[in-house]
């Protein structure tokens, strides 16, 4: 069993993520998981990502606050414990359009390209 305590989770920089603090909870450099990794991101008011696709399937779960997600065609706003799945190569952009911080959990498959 490999445990990551929130107090020791390591921050990581994600390209084209703005006004966001990202923590690695499982996988990559945090643990030896080989099939997926899990991150926790805190979005400040106005925090956002660029609209971008990747080859990995992604699952987002909002832990607190509200996060607006678009794939370029649809726009949804998720609240606490709402979730969505984005298919491989489906673009996504996240945005916190509120005046309160938001926290979102990301689970994503591990591939050779995401190592």
């Amino acid at each position: 069993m490999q445990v990551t305590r929130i107090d020791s989770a390591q921050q990581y920089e994600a390209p084209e993520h703005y006004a966001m603090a990202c923590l690695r909870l499982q996988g990559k450099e945090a643990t030896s998981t080989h099939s997926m990794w899990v991150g926790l991101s805190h979005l400040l008011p106005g925090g956002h990502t660029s609209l971008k696709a990747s080859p990995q399937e992604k699952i987002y779960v909002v832990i607190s606050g509200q996060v607006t997600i678009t794939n370029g065609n649809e726009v949804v706003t998720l609240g606490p414990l709402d979730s969505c799945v984005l298919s491989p190569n489906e673009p996504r952009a996240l945005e916190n359009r509120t005046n309160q911080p938001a926290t979102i959990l990301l689970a994503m498959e591990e591939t050779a390209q995401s190592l």
Side-chain angles (χ1 to χ4, degrees):
M1 178 184 312
Q2 298 177 53
V3 175
T4 301
R5 305 274 182 208
I6 192 65
D7 290 342
S8 62
Q10 296 296 306
Q11 285 193 20
Y12 69 95
E13 293 292 323
E16 300 183 45
H17 287 55
Y18 307 98
M20 293 176 65
C22 303
L23 300 171
R24 187 94 61 213
L25 300 181
Q26 294 292 324
K28 296 210 179 259
E29 69 281 352
T31 59
S32 63
T33 299
H34 301 290
S35 62
M36 67 183 80
W37 64 273
V38 177
L40 185 74
S41 297
H42 301 291
L43 292 80
L44 293 175
H48 66 282
T49 69
S50 298
L51 181 65
K52 200 166 192 178
S54 70
Q56 297 86 12
E57 183 175 51
K58 296 179 179 81
I59 298 172
Y60 288 103
V61 180
V62 175
I63 304 302
S64 64
Q66 291 186 345
V67 178
T68 300
I69 301 177
T70 183
N71 62 6
N73 295 315
E74 299 175 73
V75 178
V76 296
T77 299
L78 304 178
L81 302 181
D82 291 341
S83 62
C84 73
V85 175
L86 292 157
S87 300
N89 300 308
E90 181 177 9
R92 66 84 184 101
L94 309 176
E95 184 179 6
N96 179 354
R97 296 179 177 175
T98 75
N99 287 330
Q100 297 293 318
T103 300
I104 193 164
L105 189 75
L106 163 65
M108 189 164 132
E109 67 182 322
E110 184 71 77
T111 66
Q113 288 183 335
S114 66
L115 290 174

